[in-house]
Amino acid sequence: MNSLATPLTLASGVVLKNRLGKSAMTEGLADPANRATEAHQRLYRRWAEGGAGLLITGNVQVSRRHLERPGNVAIEGPQTAEAMAALSAYAAAASADGAACFVQLSHAGRQTPITVNAHPKAPSAIPVALPGKQFGVPEALSEAEIGELIAAFGHAAGVCRAAGFAGVQLHGAHGYLLSAFLSPLANRRTDRFGGSLENRARFLLEAVRAAKGAAGPGFGVAVKLNSADFQRGGFAVEESRLVAQMLEAEGIDFLEVSGGNYEQPRMMDSDGLSPGEARSARREAYFLEEAERLRAAVKTPLMVTGGFRGAAAMAAAVAGGACDIVGLARPLCTDPDGPARLLSDPGAVLPAWEKQLRLGPGPLSPERGGAFVKMLNGFGVQAWFCLQILNLAEGRQPELRLPVWKALWRYQQREGRMAKALLR
């Protein structure tokens, strides 16, 4: 039997019909009150019908003051009947054709855009080290505020269960709040939430307990964790292994392995291979080697996202035990039926558009333009894929000929409009 087609029963009892998972990607489809919309229903029904066994939503925030971008869904405090109806319709659409949908719960922390919050809360008052003033100077959370946020993660998990979702995934990667607490660079606290690894992991572990306690048995709770921050002095590989063991002791359903943050965006890396090139699983996936190191330390099912394009490499990774779930993200922005093709054709290869998307030649090429142009290209590529998601959400076909510069301009214009609507 094709290893990708093998069902997987998680610790909570949730069953994944196959080993392909749609990883979280930001959508920006919420209304100005940060509620789910019909666009979420169209998008996730489309992805669910595409054949993946697992869908993970874009980050749903537990604080409206700490969004990753305008248009995030937020679950904060008591939910109105209208908000619950919208979430329930979202969950029903995302469960089409037997898919299990997990809501990614997050708090953007110091990576909250300055247009949303000029002084976001964070472990310590250490700003993101990036040019352009995209993020404000954060304020350190008090212990009482940390306790409130732990309860907020639990509350959101309970709301997600009531809405009909299969589980939640706590976002402990990419520099957002839970991830920032793990990092010695972002977390300079001297209380029980800072210093030793046990203290830095306390917030994440207590949030997991709160989610499991509020949602109850039969509901999935998973975590996305950096294998490393890839920064000198940051959250390191050995620390990731130890935190994975702590999470295993909490009985989580699966651990998605990733890496990097806004300062070191390894989660958006590229292996330099051209589309269709013969490749091995080890060369293809960004974080497969990190997952193999974690596999030696834990029995928790592992999900690896980033770089996978070929069915053969995916099947080899699962059959070899390096991971249990193959995460797909950008390929599904242009090819939502990709999972079905991967399951039916062992030679299938998904598109790799990011390998040919650039702002332009000459001074605008990342090779010649330096760090700023490289960063600009990265945001341009991200904008291109975000707009493809919007096309799917509106029932349109992807715009494969859309220039990166035009995608970046359109994306920035849309974000500005949504930020103004959020502040009204």
Side-chain angles (χ1 to χ4, degrees):
M1 184 178 183
N2 181 351
S3 60
L4 297 179
T6 306
L8 177 64
T9 301
L10 303 176
S12 63
V14 173
V15 178
L16 307 183
K17 65 178 183 177
N18 58 53
R19 303 305 181 93
L20 297 178
K22 177 257 163 198
S23 188
M25 291 182 285
T26 183
E27 306 116 355
L29 297 172
D31 68 16
N34 301 108
R35 295 172 298 198
T37 64
E38 291 182 4
H40 287 99
Q41 298 171 40
R42 285 191 293 268
L43 177 63
Y44 277 83
R45 183 177 293 108
R46 185 74 182 85
W47 274 331
E49 292 171 348
L54 170 68
L55 302 180
I56 303 177
T57 72
N59 37 19
V60 170
Q61 309 296 347
V62 299
S63 167
R64 288 194 68 215
R65 292 283 294 154
H66 295 84
L67 307 176
E68 164 265 341
R69 65 184 283 207
N72 283 160
V73 173
I75 299 175
E76 180 181 9
Q79 299 295 290
T80 65
E82 183 180 6
M84 281 303 301
L87 281 173
S88 297
Y90 184 179
S95 303
D97 201 29
C101 186
F102 278 51
V103 175
Q104 186 183 77
L105 297 179
S106 185
H107 181 295
R110 66 178 189 156
Q111 292 179 173
T112 300
I114 197 167
T115 54
V116 173
N117 188 344
H119 296 287
K121 295 292 186 175
S124 303
I126 301 172
V128 180
L130 281 178
K133 296 183 179 180
Q134 302 170 70
F135 310 104
V137 177
E139 299 174 349
L141 285 159
S142 68
E143 284 201 48
E145 289 173 325
I146 293 172
E148 291 170 358
L149 285 176
I150 290 168
F153 277 98
H155 168 73
V159 169
C160 289
R161 175 157 199 167
F165 290 98
V168 294
Q169 181 196 59
L170 273 60
H171 197 342
H174 301 172
Y176 297 115
L177 187 67
L178 294 174
S179 173
F181 264 87
L182 293 171
S183 168
L185 296 178
N187 182 353
R188 305 286 178 82
R189 303 178 70 94
T190 57
D191 59 11
R192 65 193 189 98
F193 290 97
S196 68
L197 178 62
E198 290 74 15
N199 282 353
R200 285 183 278 123
R202 190 184 306 277
F203 190 174
L204 172 60
L205 296 175
E206 292 195 7
V208 167
R209 292 168 193 148
K212 291 175 72 70
F219 184 79
V221 176
V223 171
K224 188 168 189 170
L225 183 72
N226 272 359
S227 56
D229 292 344
F230 301 105
Q231 292 176 291
R232 182 173 297 178
F235 185 61
V237 171
E238 176 60 20
E239 291 185 318
S240 179
R241 183 182 69 83
L242 294 172
V243 172
Q245 291 175 331
M246 297 177 195
L247 291 168
E248 181 169 66
E250 299 296 330
I252 66 169
D253 281 84
F254 64 87
L255 185 68
E256 184 175 3
V257 183
S258 193
N261 53 38
Y262 282 19
E263 296 171 338
Q264 185 62 264
R266 289 290 286 272
M267 64 282 195
M268 295 188 288
D269 205 351
S270 172
D271 59 13
L273 298 175
S274 60
E277 180 182 348
R279 58 187 79 186
S280 67
R282 183 176 297 278
R283 288 188 66 201
E284 181 166 301
Y286 303 161
F287 302 110
L288 195 60
E289 291 186 13
E290 287 82 355
E292 289 172 338
R293 284 193 286 268
L294 287 177
R295 169 58 71 229
V298 298
K299 295 180 180 178
T300 302
L302 300 179
M303 176 175 176
V304 175
T305 302
F308 274 119
R309 295 295 182 271
M314 298 176 196
V318 173
C323 67
D324 303 277
I325 307 166
V326 173
L328 303 171
R330 286 177 168 177
L332 302 189
C333 298
T334 59
D335 187 8
D337 295 318
R341 292 198 297 109
L342 292 168
L343 291 167
S344 62
D345 179 4
V349 177
L350 298 184
W353 288 98
E354 65 276 11
K355 299 181 186 303
Q356 51 192 290
L357 296 173
R358 295 290 185 272
L359 282 176
L364 287 179
S365 70
E367 295 78 16
R368 296 179 58 185
F372 178 74
V373 171
K374 184 176 182 180
M375 181 184 72
L376 200 61
N377 269 276
F379 282 121
V381 171
Q382 185 176 8
W384 191 90
F385 282 102
C386 284
L387 291 182
Q388 307 308 336
I389 289 175
L390 295 178
N391 284 325
L392 293 177
E394 296 301 327
R396 299 188 296 264
Q397 293 300 311
E399 297 177 82
L400 301 181
R401 296 181 181 275
L402 178 66
V404 174
W405 67 265
K406 184 177 288 187
L408 182 58
W409 182 82
R410 282 169 50 181
Y411 175 82
Q412 293 296 340
Q413 292 295 308
R414 183 179 187 274
E415 294 300 287
R417 292 193 300 271
M418 296 194 72
K420 289 179 181 178
L422 183 69
L423 295 173
R424 285 175 187 158

